[in-house]
């Protein structure tokens, strides 16, 4: 056994002949390489942090400034001519430095040069931050025939001048990003009233106007002052409270309710070997981690000019959510060289590095095959152990404190929590067939919740590999938003399908070049009381997952290409289709949630866009009114899309509604004051919760050359018991994917029916424009 081998790696014995020391040279080599890797990593991180800290200047510019100053000054002293670039500052310093020449001159000149360089660096840094506060570019029309304003052109020129000479690293822009602005209370109240107008009759709307007026003139002013203070003091006035109160303080299960999923590139099936696919994906994930650790991952740029905040990438790997009695916490470990693999009810620790080097895909495949060939049976309770992370949070916290705080259980749990991520080797096959859409539904359910015990839902993400080589992931939500996991997943698929590839027989490329460290079974001692706790959590998880109604709909009639030909934003177009579909399904309008990012600001996460607007409801009613002409319908649709796009832009620029109201509500709770307005607003259910899956974040993925590499996107569970969760990805010029979830227990929702309404709405919208084109 590997454990026994490690235990006697170093020993000594005292006899009458003296002290005899025995050691295992191989183990000492492993320890040595581990230490060297750690020191190199810390040194590299320190250097990278310095480089990012001086952006948009560079260390080379510092060296050039110091060298140039010294050269100019020494030339002046030698030839008695030249210009003193310090304007006498160097000579002034000399009077206070007690050194002999030429050391005195070099030291004083270096100090003067550094002061000049530092002043220029600070000017550039804060100038860039001021420039990034400008958001006028967001509201200007784009596309053929549209012209930019003079102010935006000058802004673009200034930004390019400041950032042109230094290549940015992943966190280079963090110090230059502006803080999230706090909207004026009056503006938020006005936006809120406008957003709820189509949802209320005249009587209720008049009542809401009264609540808003009382709040705005009363307690709202006090809450706004406290929030203003927080916005000055913190990097982002929303993020820490959002993470704590929306995610970590929730006591309900995170499976289905919070965790989300992603799917494979369903149009490709590069290998049917489970071990090979798992190896390639694992290797690609570690390559992504290396890019993050070395800060070599290029920051995402909006319009190739404005950076998005990158702070969320830090916790992608080696991260877990730890349950607590009242609140959970996110724990991120600085490094990890292993993953944990779940297969057939057993957990394995699988080393992925040897002597400081990442194992190649073939070597990783051998590791996975070793696990697949293991015929040992699970320990008592081990097979369902993951259900603890799927059930209620408080019982899991109590069980963790009681049964996993020492001994074998503590060591095994620590191995899971410190792992880079978890890989699940499924025992079932899942596939896609255009003739059988239920296959895709089963695939999505496997990614969203599995069997309720065969994932470690607390880890930052689980990679799931089916027996036939299909893959997907399940992601925990508190540590980052879906866009970060989408970036990782897009990179993994690109590396797997395009860069790394497979041999003709489906095995991984490469050869085994070292004496592989074998995976080891994790051991557990789960007594009867602990097994009862596991069974209780499993029953909760089983009831939750059995209530999920999930439908994956692939729309191939048309896609982004047609929407753009109508000169409409694809996202706004899809959102209007969802509004029409929901109205037809429910017979009324309801509060609609669309997630928008606020990563144009430091530590930004998300904001809510409210797609159900006065304009969208007018268009929907026109579509249902046979007396309205197609010309009028198209006109109303363009107006609705324009209003939606403005709402999205406002949200991205920090001028949203819901995060501001959320923070005001948190302050009211801290102050123990009651607000009827905030209580009502924060209790309103989002019966239609939507999100677009981003793609195109990896430059390596060229969909024009590899159109089948696009993922089918991912999804999430329903937010309201009587509502829908809809995730969609605009996958290409002619393809859309919709992931529709709801609860079977609700008598007013049906995911399959709603998917059909989406299909019908998209068809009606295309027919609308085609009928106008024929005239």
């Amino acid at each position: 056994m590997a454990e026994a081998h490690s235990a006697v790696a170093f020993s000594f014995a005292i006899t009458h002949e003296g002290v005899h020391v025995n050691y295992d040279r191989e183990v000492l080599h492993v320890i040595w390489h581990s230490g060297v890797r750690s020191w190199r990593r810390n040194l590299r991180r320190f250097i990278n942090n310095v480089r990012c800290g001086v952006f948009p200047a560079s260390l080379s510019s510092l060296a050039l400034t110091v060298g140039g100053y010294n050269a100019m000054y020494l030339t002046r002293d030698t030839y008695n001519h030249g210009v003193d670039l310090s304007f006498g500052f160097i000579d002034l310093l000399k009077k206070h430095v007690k050194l002999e020449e030429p050391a005195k001159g070099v030291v004083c000149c270096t100090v003067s040069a550094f002061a000049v360089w530092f002043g220029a660096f600070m000017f550039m840094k804060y100038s860039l931050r001021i420039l990034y506060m400008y958001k006028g570019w967001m509201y200007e029309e784009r596309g053929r025939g549209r012209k930019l304003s003079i102010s935006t052109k000058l802004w673009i020129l200034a930004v390019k001048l400041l950032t042109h000479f230094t290549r940015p690293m992943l966190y280079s822009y963090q110090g230059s990003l502006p803080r999230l602005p706090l909207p004026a209370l009056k503006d938020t109240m006005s936006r809120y009233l406008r957003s709820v107008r189509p949802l209320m009759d005249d009587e209720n709307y008049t009542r809401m106007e009264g609540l808003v007026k009382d709040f705005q003139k009363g307690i709202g002013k006090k809450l706004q002052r406290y929030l203003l203070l927080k916005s000055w003091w913190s990097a982002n006035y929303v993020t820490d409270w959002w993470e704590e109160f929306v995610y970590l303080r929730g006591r309900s299960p995170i499976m289905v309710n919070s965790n989300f999923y992603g799917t494979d590139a369903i149009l490709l099936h590069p290998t049917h070997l489970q071990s090979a696919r798992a190896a390639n994906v694992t290797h690609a994930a570690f390559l992504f981690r290396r890019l993050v650790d070395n800060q070599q991952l290029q920051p995402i740029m909006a319009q190739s000019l404005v950076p998005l905040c990158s702070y969320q990438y830090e916790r992608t790997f080696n991260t877990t959510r730890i349950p607590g009695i009242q609140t959970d916490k996110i724990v991120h470990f600085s490094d990890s060289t292993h993953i944990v693999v779940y297969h057939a009810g057993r957990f394995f620790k699988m080393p992925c590095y040897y002597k400081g080097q990442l194992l190649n895909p073939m070597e990783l495949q051998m590791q996975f095959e070793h696990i697949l060939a293991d015929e040992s049976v699970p320990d008592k309770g081990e097979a369902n152990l993951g259900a603890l992370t799927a059930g209620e949070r408080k019982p899991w916290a109590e069980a963790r404190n009681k049964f996993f705080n020492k001994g074998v259980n503590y060591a095994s749990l620590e191995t899971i929590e410190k792992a880079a991520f978890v890989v699940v080797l499924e025992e079932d096959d899942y596939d896609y067939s255009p003739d059988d859409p239920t296959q895709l539904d089963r695939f999505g359910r496997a990614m969203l919740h599995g069997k309720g015990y065969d994932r470690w839902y607390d880890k930052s993400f689980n990679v799931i590999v089916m027996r036939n080589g299909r893959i997907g992931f399940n992601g925990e939500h508190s540590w980052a938003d879906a866009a970060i996991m989408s970036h990782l997943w897009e990179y993994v698929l690109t590396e797997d399908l395009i860069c790394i590839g497979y041999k003709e027989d489906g095995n991984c490329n490469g050869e085994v070049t070292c004496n592989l460290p074998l995976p080891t079974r994790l051991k557990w001692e789960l007594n009867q009381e602990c097994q009862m706790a596991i069974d209780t959590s499993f029953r909760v998880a089983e009831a939750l997952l059995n209530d999920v109604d999930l439908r994956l709909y692939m729309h191939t009639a048309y896609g982004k290409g047609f929407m753009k030909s109508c000169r409409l934003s694809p996202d706004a177009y899809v959102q209007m289709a969802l509004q029409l579909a929901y109205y037809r399904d429910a017979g009324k309008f309801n509060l609609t949630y669309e997630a928008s990012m606020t990563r144009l600001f430091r530590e930004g996460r998300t904001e809510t866009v409210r797609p159900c607007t006065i304009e969208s409801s007018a268009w929907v009613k026109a579509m249902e009114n046979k007396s309205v002409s197609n010309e009028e319908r198209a006109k109303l649709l363009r107006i609705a899309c324009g209003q939606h796009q403005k709402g999205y832009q406002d949200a991205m620029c920090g001028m949203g509604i819901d995060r501001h109201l959320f923070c005001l509500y948190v302050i009211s709770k801290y102050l123990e004051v009651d607000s009827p307005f905030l209580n009502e607003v924060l209790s309103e259910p989002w019966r239609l919760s939507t999100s677009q899956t981003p793609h195109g974040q990896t430059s390596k993925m060229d969909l024009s050359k590899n159109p089948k590499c696009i993922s089918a996107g991912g999804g999430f569970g329903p937010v309201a018991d009587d509502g829908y969760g809809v995730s969609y990805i605009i996958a290409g010029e002619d393809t859309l994917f919709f992931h529709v979830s709801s609860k079977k227990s609700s008598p007013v929702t049906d995911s399959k029916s709603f998917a059909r309404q989406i299909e019908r709405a998209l068809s009606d919208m295309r027919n609308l424009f085609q009928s106008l084109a024929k005239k």
Side-chain angles (χ1 to χ4, degrees):
M1 293 289 290
E3 301 99 316
H5 183 70
S6 299
V8 296
F10 182 88
S11 63
F12 66 91
I14 302 175
T15 67
H16 65 278
E17 297 178 352
V19 178
H20 296 272
V21 179
N22 299 313
Y23 63 91
D24 189 314
R25 182 175 297 178
E26 183 69 19
V27 174
L28 292 183
H29 271 296
V30 171
I31 294 172
W32 167 258
H33 285 292
S34 176
V36 169
R37 180 177 182 273
S38 179
W39 279 102
R40 284 178 177 173
R41 190 171 181 272
N42 290 336
L43 178 61
R44 186 168 57 246
R45 174 169 290 189
F46 173 77
I47 294 172
N48 287 339
N49 287 341
V50 172
R51 292 175 63 187
C52 290
V54 302
F55 186 86
S58 63
L59 296 178
S60 58
S61 68
L62 172 60
L64 186 63
T65 303
V66 171
Y69 254 70
N70 276 283
M72 293 286 288
Y73 190 80
L74 293 175
T75 300
R76 190 192 72 165
D77 281 356
T78 303
Y79 299 103
N80 295 317
H81 64 80
V83 180
D84 180 7
L85 297 178
S86 70
F87 299 100
F89 182 65
I90 295 176
D91 292 330
L92 180 64
L93 282 177
K94 278 188 171 184
K95 296 178 181 179
H96 302 281
V97 176
K98 298 179 180 180
L99 291 173
E100 298 295 328
E101 292 289 359
K104 179 188 288 189
V106 171
V107 169
C108 294
C109 197
T110 299
V111 171
S112 177
F114 178 81
V116 171
W117 175 87
F118 185 78
F121 149 65
M122 293 300 289
F123 173 79
M124 294 170 66
K125 180 177 181 177
Y126 284 96
S127 294
L128 195 58
R129 183 180 292 185
I130 292 171
L131 287 170
Y132 284 146
M133 290 180 182
Y134 173 73
K135 295 295 184 288
W137 61 275
M138 282 281 297
Y139 296 90
E140 296 194 11
E141 292 187 3
R142 303 177 186 88
R144 192 179 304 170
R146 279 79 180 263
K147 293 183 179 181
L148 296 176
S149 65
I150 294 177
S151 58
T152 297
K153 287 180 179 178
L154 292 174
W155 171 79
I156 291 173
L157 179 62
V159 170
K160 286 185 175 180
L161 283 174
L162 285 173
T163 58
H164 177 71
F165 299 101
T166 306
R167 183 180 180 183
M169 303 178 73
L170 179 60
Y171 302 126
S172 290
Y173 290 104
Q174 294 303 103
S176 301
L177 289 173
R179 297 170 186 264
L180 181 69
L182 178 64
L185 186 62
K186 180 181 178 181
D187 293 342
T188 299
M189 295 300 100
S190 176
R191 292 189 187 101
Y192 173 78
L193 283 175
R194 197 180 195 284
S195 73
V196 298
R197 186 64 188 95
L199 309 176
M200 297 180 175
D201 57 28
D202 292 343
E203 182 181 349
N204 278 321
Y205 184 72
T206 301
R207 181 185 63 83
M208 182 55 69
E209 281 184 315
L211 288 177
V212 166
K213 186 176 180 180
D214 292 342
F215 175 76
Q216 193 172 330
K217 289 185 175 181
I219 190 62
K221 289 183 177 180
K222 181 179 180 180
L223 301 179
Q224 178 77 354
R225 285 195 294 269
Y226 278 105
L227 192 55
L228 182 63
L229 180 63
K230 185 175 190 289
S231 71
W232 289 344
W233 179 252
S234 58
N236 189 299
Y237 76 89
V238 175
T239 296
D240 57 340
W241 284 351
W242 185 254
E243 186 175 286
E244 178 182 357
F245 293 104
V246 172
Y247 293 117
L248 298 180
R249 287 207 180 186
R251 302 293 82 199
S252 59
I254 60 175
M255 183 195 77
V256 176
N257 294 325
S258 177
N259 284 27
F260 58 97
Y261 69 91
T263 59
D264 201 355
I266 62 170
L267 302 179
L268 290 176
H269 201 157
T271 180
H272 285 75
L273 296 179
Q274 186 178 25
S275 59
R277 195 80 195 276
N280 261 16
V281 170
T282 299
H283 185 80
F286 273 107
L287 292 180
F288 188 86
R289 188 181 76 164
R290 181 186 296 170
L291 291 177
V292 173
D293 287 346
N294 295 343
Q295 299 193 33
Q296 293 173 337
L297 191 69
Q298 290 297 300
I300 303 296
M301 306 293 287
Q303 299 295 309
S304 302
L305 194 67
V306 184
L308 304 187
C309 179
S310 300
Y311 97 101
Q312 295 181 56
Y313 286 94
E314 177 69 23
R315 300 187 294 188
T316 309
F317 297 88
N318 331 323
T319 299
T320 193
R321 177 169 173 162
I322 303 293
I325 302 298
Q326 294 183 335
T327 183
D328 294 354
K329 62 180 178 179
I330 302 170
V331 177
H332 171 70
F333 301 95
S334 61
D335 193 19
S336 178
T337 59
H338 74 275
I339 61 172
V340 163
V341 180
Y342 179 88
H343 175 249
R346 304 149 310 159
F347 291 88
F348 295 82
K349 177 182 179 181
M350 186 177 122
C352 296
Y353 282 78
Y354 181 71
K355 292 186 177 180
Q357 297 296 317
L358 176 63
L359 299 180
N360 67 40
M362 178 53 76
E363 291 165 343
L364 291 171
Q365 182 179 347
M366 293 298 102
Q367 300 274 67
F368 283 114
E369 287 183 355
H370 179 85
I371 293 172
L372 291 170
D374 190 313
E375 297 181 353
S376 60
V377 297
D379 294 332
K380 271 194 172 183
E382 181 182 8
N384 289 3
L385 182 61
L388 287 172
T389 67
E392 301 281 346
R393 301 306 292 174
K394 184 178 178 181
W396 169 211
E398 292 170 343
R400 188 178 189 277
N401 294 335
K402 189 171 185 179
F403 306 117
F404 299 88
N405 62 348
K406 60 183 179 180
V408 172
N409 290 348
Y410 174 82
S412 294
L413 179 61
E414 185 180 47
T415 299
I416 295 175
E417 294 178 341
K418 286 188 174 181
F421 52 93
V422 170
V423 173
V424 178
L425 299 177
E426 281 272 11
E427 298 179 88
D428 299 322
D429 291 338
Y430 292 88
D431 215 332
Y432 162 71
S433 170
D435 300 323
D436 184 8
T438 61
Q439 289 190 15
L440 209 52
D441 299 345
R442 288 180 59 247
F443 188 35
R445 288 179 64 93
M447 298 303 106
L448 177 61
H449 51 64
K451 298 180 178 68
Y453 58 80
D454 53 350
R455 315 277 185 263
W456 199 262
Y457 298 95
D458 284 355
K459 283 299 288 182
S460 54
F461 66 95
N462 291 238
V463 173
I464 303 155
V465 187
M466 306 304 175
R467 192 174 62 175
N468 62 341
R470 284 292 187 191
I471 60 171
F473 73 83
N474 180 282
E476 202 277 315
H477 212 327
S478 64
W479 63 273
D481 298 314
I484 307 301
M485 268 307 301
S486 295
H487 191 179
L488 163 63
W489 196 241
E490 187 176 322
Y491 179 91
V492 166
L493 288 176
T494 304
E495 287 289 324
D496 172 41
L497 301 173
I498 299 175
C499 302
I500 303 175
Y502 300 87
K503 297 177 181 177
E504 290 185 4
D505 60 1
N507 284 299
C508 291
N509 288 313
E511 303 294 336
V512 177
T513 60
C514 64
N515 183 20
L516 293 174
L518 296 178
T520 55
R521 269 281 308 275
L522 299 186
K523 296 298 180 181
W524 309 91
E525 294 176 355
L526 308 174
N527 60 30
Q528 190 66 32
E529 189 180 357
C530 181
Q531 291 178 43
M532 289 177 61
I534 294 171
D535 290 341
T536 300
S537 289
F538 174 61
R539 286 195 295 272
V540 171
E542 189 176 39
L544 182 59
L545 68 88
N546 284 336
D547 197 25
V548 172
D549 182 16
L550 184 65
R551 176 75 171 97
L552 270 67
Y553 166 54
M554 183 178 179
H555 179 82
T556 56
Y558 66 96
K560 179 171 61 177
F562 176 78
M563 298 173 192
K564 286 188 172 182
S565 71
C566 299
R567 299 178 72 86
L568 293 174
S569 158
D571 179 72
Y573 188 105
V574 172
Q575 283 292 335
M576 293 307 106
L578 292 176
Q579 285 299 306
L580 179 57
Y582 186 85
Y583 185 80
R584 287 170 171 173
D585 182 79
K588 60 182 178 179
F589 297 108
N590 251 315
L591 198 60
T592 306
Y593 181 109
E594 181 187 6
S596 153
M597 62 89 176
T598 55
R599 288 170 58 202
L600 293 171
F601 303 95
R602 206 181 325 166
E603 296 185 13
R605 290 201 60 163
T606 61
E607 176 58 277
T608 304
V609 183
R610 295 184 169 215
C612 185
T613 62
I614 296 171
E615 291 78 9
S616 69
S617 59
W619 170 73
V620 168
K621 289 177 180 177
M623 290 293 290
E624 295 299 275
N625 187 347
K626 294 181 180 180
S627 65
V628 179
S629 67
N630 283 344
E631 288 81 0
E632 181 64 17
R633 289 171 175 171
K635 178 184 175 182
L636 291 173
L637 176 56
R638 292 189 185 281
I639 294 172
C641 286
Q643 179 60 36
H644 176 81
Q645 201 164 359
K646 184 181 182 301
Y648 202 98
Q649 291 161 342
D650 285 343
M652 287 183 65
C653 294
M655 296 293 118
I657 300 169
D658 292 280
R659 298 302 178 270
H660 186 192
L661 295 179
F662 162 76
C663 289
L664 292 172
Y665 180 76
V666 172
I667 291 177
S668 74
K669 292 304 176 184
Y670 275 127
L671 296 178
E672 297 182 345
V673 297
D674 191 60
S675 167
F677 167 70
L678 289 177
N679 289 338
E680 182 166 336
V681 170
L682 272 295
S683 64
E684 292 171 342
W686 300 96
R687 290 193 172 89
L688 180 57
S689 183
T690 71
S691 178
Q692 180 184 176
T693 302
H695 63 91
Q697 299 182 88
T698 302
S699 58
K700 291 182 178 181
M701 177 74 82
D702 188 344
L703 292 178
S704 61
K705 295 180 180 178
N706 304 282
K708 292 186 177 182
C709 286
I710 187 66
S711 165
F716 51 89
V719 174
D721 290 340
D722 57 349
Y724 293 106
V726 181
S727 176
Y728 56 94
I729 181 170
I730 303 173
E733 296 299 310
D734 300 303
T735 306
L736 306 170
F737 285 98
F738 292 88
H739 301 245
V740 182
S741 66
S742 62
K743 291 192 173 182
K744 295 177 182 177
S745 57
S746 170
V748 296
T749 58
D750 184 321
S751 294
K752 293 180 179 62
S753 174
F754 190 67
R756 287 193 295 269
Q757 292 290 7
I758 293 173
E759 181 180 20
R760 180 187 166 197
L762 289 169
S763 176
D764 288 349
M765 292 170 75
R766 181 181 62 174
N767 293 338
L768 172 64
F769 285 105
Q770 287 180 339
S771 67
L772 294 176
K774 292 177 181 178
K775 292 184 179 180

